[in-house]
Amino acid sequence: MLSHESLQQIDREIAKYPHDQKQSAVMSALRIAQVEKGWLPKEVIEFVAGYLGMPAIAAYEVASFYNMYDLEPIGRHKITVCTNLPCALSGGVHAGEYLKEKLGIGFNETTPDGMFTLKEGECMGACGDAPVMLVNNHRMCSWMTKEKIDQMLAELESK
Amino acid sequence: MLEIEIDGKQVTVEDGSTIMDAATKIGAFIPHFCYHKKLSIAASCRMCLVQVEKAPKPLPACATPVTNGMKVWTRSEQAIKAQKGVMEFLLVNHPLDCPICDQGGECQLQDLAVGYGGSQSRYEEEKRVVLNKNLGPLVSTDMTRCINCTRCVRFTTEIAGEMELGQAFRGEHAQIMPFVEKTVDSELSGNIIDLCPVGALTSKPFRFSARTWEMSRRKSISPHDSLGANLIVQVKHDVVKRVLPMENDEINECWLSDKDRFSYEGLNSDDRLTVPMLKQDGAWKQVDWQSALEFAANGLRKAAKENGPAAIGAFASGHSTVEELHLLQKLTRAIGSDNVDFRLRQSDFRADSFRQGAPWLGMPIAEVSALNRLLVIGSFLRKDAPLLAQRVRQAAKRGLHVSAINAVAEEWLLPVKNRALVAPSAIVPMLLQVVSALAAEKGVQVSEHLAMAVPSTVSDEARAIAQSLASGKKVAVWLGNFAVQYEAATEIQLLAQEIARLTDGTFGVIGESANSVGGYLAKALPIVGGLNARQMLEQPRKAYLLLNAEPDLDFADPIAAQAVLSSAPLVVALSAFKSPALLASADVLLPIAPFTETSGTFVNCEGRAQNFNAVARPLGETRPGWKVLRVLGNLLDFDGFDQNDSEAVAAEVLGAEIAPRLSACIAGMAFAYSVQHTDALERVSDVPIYAGDPLVRRAASLQKTRDARAPAVRASSVTLAALGVPSGARVRLKQGAAAAELEIVADDTVAANCVRVAAAHPATAVLGAMCGQISVERV
Amino acid sequence: MSASGLILAGLDGDRTWGLHDYVARGGYSALKKIIAEKIPPETIIAELKASSLRGRGGAGFPTGLKWSFMPRSFPGAKYLACNSDEGEPGTFKDRDILRYNPHAVIEGMTIAAYAMGCERGYNYIHGEIFDVYQRFEDALEEARAGGLLGQNILGSDFSFDLFAHHGYGAYICGEETALLESIEGKKGQPRFKPPFPASYGLYGKPTTINNTETFASVPFIINMGGEGFLNLGKPNNGGTKLFSVSGHVNRPGNFEVPMGMPFAELLEMAGGMRGGRKLKAVIPGGSSAPVLPGGVMMDCTMDYDSISKAGSMLGSGAVIVMDETTCMVKALERLSYFYFEESCGQCTPCREGTGWLYRVVHRIEHGLGRPDDLDLLNSVTGNIMGRTICALGDAASMPVQSFIKHFGSEFQYHIENKKCLVPPEVQYQGSQIYVRP
Ligand SMILES: Cc1cc2nc3c(=O)[nH]c(=O)nc-3n(C[C@H](O)[C@H](O)[C@H](O)COP(=O)(O)O)c2cc1C
Ligand code: SF4
Ligand code: FES
């Protein structure tokens, strides 16, 4: 179900916790699985649960509780824009509008070519860098002016 | 102990009590939803907020520990304001569909809303809609009504032992669900219906069939397993509509197994026999009671006269009432025959004349929670005795160490510390090793009659079990149904008894049926050299009485039972149901009442006689079994068949104290066992949970559950490899002259060199005995 | 980032986060001193108490006192947790501490573990800052390799294991018991207290949880002594503090300044008001702290007591600055949406009430407000506050109450006129995409 590398990474996470507390690694394991698969189909969640010896529904609770897991297929690149108040004061909402316009989609939508999914995010703890956006969960982009957004989209498109 | 004042009343409670505990103690009602006395505390619904002296804000009674001198007001202005506030929030997203809700009339939200709700909602936005979930054939959902109290989630996790439900998503989107597309398959699932304080989880079989207030509530006793769960049966126009638990902390607590709860559907099945029937020249026809009874009486009289009374034999199901069992044996013995037995699935009766009493659990059910070591031998504990297993599960959380010896490692959803997974023929050798290791561990001698048989070297598994038991302070050893049904049952009992002796523990038998104990007390078994259930088949009789049993599904060897009964000149069957096998075997069918239509008594595994009354009028021309047997006695001119009521019948059996008559022990019997090493494949049989008795077999919804799926042949991957058969293949099973074709699946919970083939199922009824040699070949 | 203060002093962005530079800045000297001089745990806790360090996570609880709650003689495992789940809108200080000075946190936690006898610790890092999580992992590796973490630290018989745990998008995990649940591999739903983490924490064992900045302050306290630290700030408000300034200022960012600095001065450090516009309102301690009118704020100093006297909270030290072009209804709508989105869902008042609040504010903003709506909002918040397991219920209510209290006329105007009081031509002018000078 998951690649050897992913399993190795998961094993490293498991090792951080007391040996009878494997479940503690579920968040990392789901993250690692999502990086490999692009999103979290139920079979993957079930596999992760089995790997950690926890009930499948408990893993599903986790996968559905935390925002950054995707329980539905998404585009090749996911862009999450923070529109919370501090960011909004420095153009977070406008940056989101600009992205919508550029991509021709709204929040929670994917471009027809399957390239981009756009999401509205909550505070990322980077309000001083507004507008901020998160690319594919793991890359934070700061001070995103229109020019920088154009650049970012071009760069992602070529990947 | 702590002193606390609630609403001006003083109460003393134990350390660690909550305000809710204290309130319960003085009978003060604090409204609540998420709190449930048998579940962990969530403190999330916030309905139980009360005012506490010096606390700046209201506190949840369910979770707030009592401190000495605490003053609490449950109905002060602050408390009521908080409670009303919470009630308003609960109703924000709750549909107001009470008129069409099955919970109507028994809804805690509805009840409390009357007292705490405002007259009109201030919330005027659109209400949340939550998709329903398919939880399987028993529990119906209306998830929009859910108030997220999480009682159901906590029940599956904590009581049923497996988290089958969760609260997924968060905030307002939080919803209760099983894992994507899974159902709730626990044998205890129906309890979530009772736990749900609103109409989100309701009974699927019961759905829309009656309103609460239209039904009468009557007490009864579950007729299925040896626990004897207490029931409330709800009846409308003499039809049983629903079964609920009657709380009894010493037996079922507030729970029921699904078998107890949903088997009532079988009462209304098309298979009900409602008119007496006679077979004449091979054709069945309906007759009046008089003709049927006279036919039966004359037939029995004739058979006894022509062939001697020993030509008569009687079989009864252990699910019959004490009254029925008693009158059946009384009738048989009045005829002059000692051939009577209710232990139809047993194959080893060698211990009969050495028994010290009626085999019972050896301890009160409620004391399971005090055990700290338990050895369970030859048991499908979880499916055979779901609520007993539940007790063991709770005790395991409190430190009970469980060991198991069986040919199948059934998942009990509780920690089993030590497990010996061995073929049936290796159970006795394993027990001998445990005895040996235990004697060494304890530094005591093995009983003389066993000394010769006990080996000097023991396996690690045996030693681990012995060590666990030896370190116990309160130890019990239990035999499960398989151990009792197996052909070496006698040796297993002798050794289990020895283990209990060596550990100063109690020794008991779980018991297969509602009257596993009652049948012994009623003496529904040979006592002066008559034939037992097995012998009555091995040495065919001329005439048989058959009480509440079906030849193809209720006997240890269904092939033999069907052959013998269908060729016997006379079979008088007393039954609530008809079936092809009964029609083929019997000559006269007498419709007798199931447990809901007769009064009667079951004696449960702890030796407690529980009597019950009819909750509905008998269907059609059905009559209570005890009355039919009494009339048969009258027609045959026997004395002692003139009881006015069932109590009088029961008194003949239960008049004297029961406790002195209970004992699982065997005394004075030599242990003659030689290890017969065999390479042959052995059959292990369980009686699937919804196959054990005629009633449950006809409960339509239970028959749609996962537990009722047609049995496959199960064998470990090692065994499969040795046989050269892949998992999923169709195989031909041969047992003696019998054969059947089934699917085989890999299942590593089965001991090596065994195949698990369920008994009591039409698909396997064409095979022979429940245990013994069997061969498997791919087709 | 400012170069003043303690934790952020002498840093040079991404270049100097490593062990080598930290040691060159005097790092790990506190830990070394403790080990070398075998300073008794009680002495460390006494120093903490003397420093008057108050928890930097939001509640401002005295750290020394918290540490003293840990059962000293408890036989089994004890745990330490660092709360780097910074997700309170406006707060972005812990991210800078972790990426520019991670060893200060590691050293602080190690000292804490020593003082409280913890054998293992976890740093719970906010989901959205994966790069910071990775850097912290690297820093942990460095510390382990340097004998500063793990078995027999610096050759002593003191051992402490520290690991990073990565969140994945749930504000509520910043609440300390939700954080523990999350480390246990569950949903982040807060636990009812009592029992408190000091007796029943991670995996049911005694646990102490502190904020990143709190831990990062510890080495400095040990080095300069409790008194020294206290004297940097003012009585009852010891030390320096990081303020995350966001919103309508010329230079948003983190500023580590002595406690008690006048707000006006802090505003100056942040470059003053963007475009020279007029200050309208400030949320001084993260989104859940009550909003204050600009005028009131200009009279405050940046410390727990002054802000509290003005009717708000210093909270996490997140200062959200809003100018005159801001529509307060719209601002509140966005905050209410946040709490609605982030409620964990267990408590009835929070699960049902946060959505209710948001929907009412939303309808006011969209010209559908009703005359009774402000009373309704006040009443609903009253039914949420103090009735829930954790403080998210309060956090969701306080903005609503304070926005109505200080800017009620603006709400009233929206309801009556179905439009905004801020003239359309200036509305959101201050909120255009920010371009760094
Ligand atoms: C809803 C909620 C969110 C919180 N978020 C954070 C957070 O992001 N970071 C943090 O340090 N504390 C947060 N806290 C406070 C913590 O519960 C806890 O008080 C703190 O981590 C203790 O550390 P301290 O004493 O060092 O401040 C939050 C509390 C609540 C109720
Ligand atoms: S107040 Fe809200 S976030 Fe906090 S525990 Fe209750 S439901 Fe969860
Ligand atoms: S019963 Fe106490 S909070 Fe639900």
Side-chain angles (χ1 to χ4, degrees):
Chain A
M1 179 75 64
L2 290 179
S3 69
H4 184 63
E5 293 74 54
S6 292
L7 291 180
Q8 269 185 335
Q9 285 183 43
I10 294 175
D11 289 343
R12 270 202 298 278
E13 294 293 334
I14 293 173
K16 291 180 179 176
Y17 306 96
H19 61 88
D20 56 346
Q21 301 290 349
K22 269 177 144 179
Q23 178 170 344
S24 283
V26 68
M27 291 179 67
S28 306
L30 290 171
R31 160 174 50 83
I32 292 161
Q34 177 164 293
V35 168
E36 182 183 326
K37 301 285 180 190
W39 63 292
L40 290 174
K42 76 173 204 294
E43 296 75 20
V44 171
I45 298 175
E46 198 165 14
F47 173 83
V48 166
Y51 196 76
L52 299 175
M54 64 192 283
I57 180 64
Y60 191 80
E61 281 189 339
V62 169
S64 63
F65 188 88
Y66 299 91
N67 270 350
M68 291 164 68
Y69 299 112
D70 290 302
L71 301 180
E72 304 288 336
I74 53 160
R76 181 116 66 93
H77 302 292
K78 180 170 82 170
I79 302 173
T80 315
V81 193
C82 177
T83 58
N84 208 311
L85 180 63
C87 273
L89 295 176
S90 287
V93 173
H94 293 80
E97 293 304 320
Y98 183 68
L99 268 169
K100 285 187 199 169
E101 193 187 302
K102 280 279 288 191
L103 299 174
I105 53 173
F107 286 135
N108 294 318
E109 288 176 8
T110 300
T111 51
D113 61 357
M115 184 62 76
F116 294 105
T117 298
L118 196 56
K119 296 246 172 190
E120 186 172 25
E122 288 306 338
C123 182
M124 298 172 182
C127 328
D129 296 5
V132 287
M133 40 200 71
L134 199 58
V135 174
N136 295 328
N137 293 331
H138 293 170
R139 199 179 117 203
M140 174 87 79
C141 303
S142 302
W143 298 295
M144 295 304 282
T145 56
K146 290 184 181 174
E147 298 71 48
K148 285 177 80 178
I149 290 175
D150 291 345
Q151 261 173 33
M152 173 187 82
L153 291 180
E155 183 206 327
L156 288 174
E157 211 148 3
S158 68
K159 268 199 236 170
Chain B
M1 297 303 267
L2 305 166
E3 283 278 341
I4 155 171
E5 187 190 300
I6 299 184
D7 296 336
K9 280 194 208 122
Q10 292 293 326
V11 48
T12 311
V13 291
E14 279 168 45
D15 291 18
S17 300
T18 60
I19 296 176
M20 186 71 90
D21 296 333
T24 309
K25 207 167 167 189
I26 54 165
F29 177 75
I30 299 175
H32 60 268
F33 293 107
C34 66
Y35 168 78
H36 188 278
K37 61 184 173 193
K38 297 279 181 189
L39 302 175
S40 66
I41 291 166
S44 60
C45 78
R46 316 306 284 179
M47 191 64 210
C48 67
L49 293 172
V50 294
Q51 183 175 354
V52 177
E53 190 182 44
K54 293 199 200 94
K57 49 186 192 179
L59 299 176
C62 67
T64 305
V66 164
T67 53
N68 211 15
M70 194 181 233
K71 274 194 184 156
V72 176
W73 296 273
T74 69
R75 311 214 25 104
S76 64
E77 200 185 313
Q78 190 207 58
I80 295 281
K81 182 166 183 291
Q83 292 160 8
K84 286 194 163 171
V86 172
M87 179 51 83
E88 182 178 32
F89 286 128
L90 281 169
L91 295 176
V92 156
N93 274 305
H94 191 81
L96 297 174
D97 62 350
C98 308
I100 55 151
C101 177
D102 254 352
Q103 197 85 353
E106 50 190 21
C107 175
Q108 290 167 39
L109 188 65
Q110 196 179 35
D111 293 350
L112 287 179
V114 172
Y116 298 87
S119 50
Q120 223 202 319
S121 175
R122 297 191 290 167
Y123 184 82
E124 293 165 12
E125 314 300 312
E126 208 162 309
K127 293 198 179 219
R128 166 176 68 217
V129 174
V130 185
L131 280 186
N132 287 335
K133 311 291 180 292
N134 175 14
L135 300 188
L138 303 177
V139 182
S140 171
T141 69
D142 266 291
M143 295 320 285
T144 301
R145 297 178 185 147
C146 170
I147 57 167
N148 278 289
C149 71
T150 70
R151 280 184 181 186
C152 55
V153 175
R154 283 174 285 147
F155 175 84
T156 63
T157 313
E158 296 163 14
I159 307 293
E162 185 177 18
M163 187 180 183
E164 289 192 289
L165 289 171
Q167 186 194 37
F169 302 95
R170 72 183 190 210
E172 204 185 80
H173 311 291
Q175 51 173 302
I176 304 297
M177 59 192 292
F179 187 67
V180 195
E181 285 155 39
K182 286 226 161 101
T183 49
V184 173
D185 297 316
S186 162
E187 65 285 351
L188 301 176
S189 71
N191 293 299
I192 62 179
I193 299 167
D194 299 339
L195 287 172
C196 181
V198 295
L201 305 176
T202 52
S203 163
K204 216 175 239 184
F206 171 69
R207 233 175 169 213
F208 306 133
S209 69
R211 305 292 283 179
T212 344
W213 52 87
E214 301 169 337
M215 298 181 288
S216 46
R217 298 161 65 89
R218 310 217 164 103
K219 291 189 212 171
S220 192
I221 302 295
S222 172
H224 298 293
D225 61 30
S226 65
L227 196 91
N230 293 195
L231 312 177
I232 290 174
V233 181
Q234 294 188 299
V235 183
K236 178 179 164 186
H237 305 319
D238 280 311
V239 179
V240 175
K241 291 287 181 188
R242 188 165 69 164
V243 169
L244 299 173
M246 162 102 177
E247 192 168 335
N248 185 338
D249 238 18
E250 293 174 352
I251 300 176
N252 52 304
E253 303 166 78
C254 53
W255 314 124
L256 284 186
S257 70
D258 288 352
K259 179 147 91 162
D260 298 328
R261 183 186 302 267
F262 294 109
S263 72
Y264 73 86
E265 279 193 294
L267 297 168
N268 310 324
S269 89
D270 295 340
D271 277 358
R272 272 297 293 272
L273 178 68
T274 53
V275 189
M277 292 173 72
L278 259 186
K279 184 148 70 181
Q280 280 178 337
D281 305 325
W284 283 98
K285 64 168 197 185
Q286 302 190 343
V287 294
D288 58 25
W289 267 106
Q290 187 71 18
S291 318
L293 287 168
E294 275 174 9
F295 177 89
N298 290 339
L300 291 169
R301 190 184 287 121
K302 180 158 164 274
K305 195 162 158 210
E306 286 174 4
N307 306 287
I312 314 289
F315 293 114
S317 152
H319 297 283
S320 311
T321 63
V322 165
E323 291 77 357
E324 290 166 344
L325 291 165
H326 172 61
L327 289 180
L328 179 73
Q329 65 83 25
K330 195 169 184 181
L331 184 76
T332 312
R333 294 204 159 94
I335 295 171
S337 170
D338 193 41
N339 307 333
V340 57
D341 212 336
F342 75 105
R343 302 162 301 174
L344 307 186
R345 290 202 181 99
Q346 281 183 34
S347 47
D348 175 7
F349 298 88
R350 287 170 292 153
D352 270 6
S353 43
F354 303 95
R355 292 211 167 277
Q356 302 300 293
W360 69 306
L361 192 62
M363 59 187 289
I365 294 165
E367 276 180 24
V368 171
S369 58
L371 290 176
N372 67 359
R373 295 292 182 274
L374 173 65
L375 171 63
V376 186
I377 304 164
S379 176
F380 293 88
L381 182 68
R382 179 170 148 218
K383 299 294 175 180
D384 284 350
L387 290 178
L388 193 60
Q390 187 277 131
R391 289 241 186 210
V392 174
R393 186 172 300 131
Q394 304 315 319
K397 285 186 202 156
R398 279 180 240 118
L400 166 65
H401 290 189
V402 181
S403 301
I405 301 177
N406 201 12
V408 176
E410 186 195 29
E411 175 59 67
W412 288 348
L413 302 177
L414 57 89
V416 176
K417 288 265 177 187
N418 306 287
R419 201 189 272 281
L421 180 61
V422 292
S425 64
I427 292 178
V428 170
M430 176 57 67
L431 288 170
L432 281 165
Q433 294 178 38
V434 173
V435 168
S436 170
L438 197 52
E441 202 70 38
K442 285 271 189 181
V444 289
Q445 292 286 311
V446 173
S447 296
E448 212 170 309
H449 67 290
L450 296 173
M452 291 295 290
V454 164
S456 48
T457 53
V458 301
S459 65
D460 292 346
E461 292 146 304
R463 182 167 302 108
I465 293 173
Q467 281 169 348
S468 166
L469 295 174
S471 62
K473 293 204 171 54
K474 221 167 171 323
V475 183
V477 181
W478 292 348
L479 297 186
N481 298 351
F482 184 76
V484 172
Q485 290 156 354
Y486 185 54
E487 53 205 15
T490 302
E491 284 78 16
I492 294 178
Q493 286 180 63
L494 283 167
L495 293 168
Q497 183 178 325
E498 176 73 357
I499 292 171
R501 186 187 73 83
L502 290 169
T503 54
D504 288 325
T506 57
F507 168 52
V509 174
I510 293 169
E512 176 191 348
S513 52
N515 251 330
S516 297
V517 174
Y520 275 93
L521 298 179
K523 298 199 166 62
L525 68 170
I527 41 180
V528 287
L531 304 180
N532 57 45
R534 177 176 183 160
Q535 292 164 328
M536 280 191 270
L537 294 178
E538 286 170 349
Q539 303 162 39
R541 307 288 93 193
K542 294 289 179 212
Y544 290 97
L545 282 152
L546 189 60
L547 176 63
N548 285 321
E550 297 185 82
D552 52 339
L553 301 171
D554 288 322
F555 286 81
D557 184 343
I559 298 279
Q562 291 177 90
V564 168
L565 290 172
S566 57
S567 55
L570 177 69
V571 173
V572 177
L574 290 79
S575 171
F577 301 98
K578 53 186 185 299
S579 73
L582 264 179
L583 291 170
S585 309
D587 298 283
V588 54
L589 283 168
L590 305 176
I592 62 165
F595 80 109
T596 45
E597 298 166 23
T598 179
S599 52
T601 311
F602 295 127
V603 183
N604 76 357
C605 60
E606 63 176 3
R608 182 193 296 247
Q610 303 194 94
N611 71 303
F612 52 89
N613 289 318
V615 299
R617 229 178 339 197
L619 189 65
E621 290 181 37
T622 298
R623 302 260 174 95
W626 69 270
K627 283 193 185 168
V628 174
L629 288 161
R630 191 193 59 188
V631 176
L632 271 178
N634 299 147
L635 287 173
L636 289 164
D637 290 326
F638 295 142
D639 287 340
F641 288 86
D642 40 20
Q643 301 86 345
N644 280 331
D645 46 34
S646 64
E647 282 94 68
V649 182
E652 292 179 17
V653 180
L654 306 171
E657 213 187 321
I658 294 176
R661 288 185 277 166
L662 301 173
S663 171
C665 291
I666 303 171
M669 195 179 179
F671 185 85
Y673 179 82
S674 55
V675 180
Q676 301 131 2
H677 187 74
T678 160
D679 285 330
L681 213 51
E682 297 177 46
R683 173 175 174 185
V684 193
S685 299
D686 58 314
V687 174
I689 182 166
Y690 303 135
D693 61 76
L695 178 59
V696 75
R697 288 194 286 263
R698 291 171 173 84
S701 301
L702 288 175
Q703 293 309 321
K704 292 183 206 142
T705 61
R706 190 178 70 173
D707 275 330
R709 277 202 296 231
V713 182
R714 306 188 155 271
S716 72
S717 33
V718 177
T719 308
L720 283 185
L723 289 167
V725 184
S727 184
R730 279 197 80 75
V731 291
R732 190 189 319 282
L733 297 172
K734 281 202 191 130
Q735 207 183 347
E741 262 186 45
L742 286 167
E743 188 192 343
I744 194 162
V745 291
D747 180 346
D748 287 330
T749 65
V750 182
N753 220 28
C754 296
V755 291
R756 174 175 171 178
V757 187
H761 195 277
T764 60
V766 292
L767 290 167
M770 291 176 70
C771 31
Q773 295 190 1
I774 194 162
S775 71
V776 173
E777 58 192 58
R778 195 169 177 182
V779 293
Chain C
M1 187 181 55
S2 80
S4 63
L6 299 171
I7 301 169
L8 298 185
L11 300 179
D12 183 12
D14 284 325
R15 278 189 285 275
T16 55
W17 69 267
L19 179 61
H20 179 82
D21 287 300
Y22 181 63
V23 171
R25 291 194 297 274
Y28 286 111
S29 54
L31 180 64
K32 283 176 186 153
K33 181 167 129 189
I34 287 168
I35 301 274
E37 297 173 16
K38 297 200 168 62
I39 298 181
E42 304 78 58
T43 311
I44 297 173
I45 294 178
E47 284 301 326
L48 260 291
K49 284 184 177 165
S51 76
S52 189
L53 173 67
R54 293 172 61 170
R56 305 299 197 216
F61 192 83
T63 306
L65 187 59
K66 186 187 269 191
W67 288 16
S68 68
F69 292 153
M70 279 290 265
R72 279 226 60 82
S73 55
F74 183 84
K78 278 184 278 185
Y79 291 101
L80 198 61
C82 175
N83 191 342
S84 302
D85 191 42
E86 181 173 68
E88 166 99 351
T91 320
F92 49 90
K93 64 192 178 67
D94 298 339
R95 171 176 176 236
D96 275 1
I97 296 174
L98 288 176
R99 59 179 173 167
Y100 300 136
N101 208 3
H103 283 288
V105 179
I106 297 174
E107 187 182 1
M109 287 189 77
T110 309
I111 294 170
Y114 176 91
M116 289 177 276
C118 303
E119 61 176 38
R120 212 182 245 266
Y122 293 94
N123 185 9
Y124 191 104
I125 299 177
H126 194 48
E128 282 84 348
I129 49 174
F130 188 66
D131 47 345
V132 174
Y133 166 74
Q134 284 177 318
R135 172 161 304 167
F136 193 74
E137 289 268 42
D138 292 344
L140 286 174
E141 266 321 306
E142 283 186 334
R144 283 186 200 115
L148 299 158
L149 206 56
Q151 290 301 302
N152 304 103
I153 291 172
L154 294 166
S156 69
D157 56 6
F158 165 56
S159 301
F160 174 60
D161 277 318
L162 179 56
F163 303 95
H165 183 101
H166 189 221
Y168 227 55
Y171 163 66
I172 191 59
C173 290
E175 196 281 342
E176 56 187 18
T177 55
L179 179 142
L180 298 179
E181 289 282 298
S182 187
I183 297 180
E184 290 181 8
K186 302 177 197 152
K187 292 176 290 181
Q189 289 189 325
R191 300 175 181 167
F192 180 79
K193 286 144 279 192
F196 291 93
S199 56
Y200 189 94
L202 185 61
Y203 309 124
K205 300 288 189 287
T207 303
T208 292
I209 302 122
N210 276 118
N211 172 256
T212 320
E213 187 185 349
T214 311
F215 280 126
S217 306
V218 170
F220 299 95
I221 294 173
I222 299 299
N223 279 333
M224 65 176 59
E227 284 254 339
F229 184 83
L230 171 65
N231 291 337
L232 288 179
K234 57 188 240 189
N236 196 32
N237 297 271
T240 58
K241 162 100 192 78
L242 269 74
F243 291 101
S244 305
V245 184
S246 65
H248 295 145
V249 292
N250 276 316
R251 260 183 292 115
N254 282 312
F255 304 91
E256 188 181 7
V257 300
M259 284 278 201
M261 174 187 268
F263 168 73
E265 219 170 296
L266 181 65
L267 187 60
E268 234 11 79
M269 288 179 83
M273 294 302 292
R274 200 180 295 162
R277 276 181 289 268
K278 196 169 151 243
L279 176 66
K280 179 172 189 179
V282 176
I283 303 177
S287 63
S288 36
V291 68
L292 293 176
V296 174
M297 198 60 205
M298 288 305 273
D299 294 336
C300 288
T301 56
M302 298 307 291
D303 54 83
Y304 296 98
D305 298 337
S306 169
I307 303 282
S308 155
K309 229 172 95 196
S312 186
M313 309 182 319
L314 191 71
S316 56
V319 182
I320 307 171
V321 178
M322 288 172 268
D323 70 19
E324 59 198 333
T325 70
T326 314
C327 166
M328 296 312 274
V329 182
K330 179 116 191 128
L332 178 63
E333 184 201 14
R334 187 60 186 85
L335 288 182
S336 293
Y337 181 77
F338 169 73
Y339 291 104
F340 164 51
E341 212 15 66
E342 297 293 339
S343 162
C344 86
Q346 58 175 338
C347 310
T348 306
C350 174
R351 182 184 64 241
E352 309 294 344
T354 50
W356 195 354
L357 293 179
Y358 163 66
R359 289 185 178 100
V360 175
V361 178
H362 178 82
R363 78 181 176 211
I364 298 175
E365 163 66 14
H366 288 80
L368 300 166
R370 303 170 195 180
D372 300 341
D373 274 356
L374 298 187
D375 290 342
L376 179 62
L377 286 172
N378 278 326
S379 156
V380 173
T381 51
N383 282 340
I384 299 174
M385 285 189 77
R387 311 268 168 86
T388 53
I389 288 179
C390 85
L392 190 137
D394 295 4
S397 303
M398 283 184 297
V400 176
Q401 293 185 347
S402 61
F403 271 68
I404 294 177
K405 179 172 165 206
H406 295 297
F407 302 95
S409 55
E410 214 172 303
F411 284 77
Q412 210 65 52
Y413 188 91
H414 261 264
I415 293 172
E416 282 161 18
N417 300 292
K418 316 216 174 300
K419 61 176 189 203
C420 191
L421 184 61
V422 181
E425 57 287 6
V426 299
Q427 232 179 69
Y428 311 130
Q429 247 182 38
S431 306
Q432 296 302 315
I433 292 182
Y434 173 71
V435 183
R436 255 202 305 177

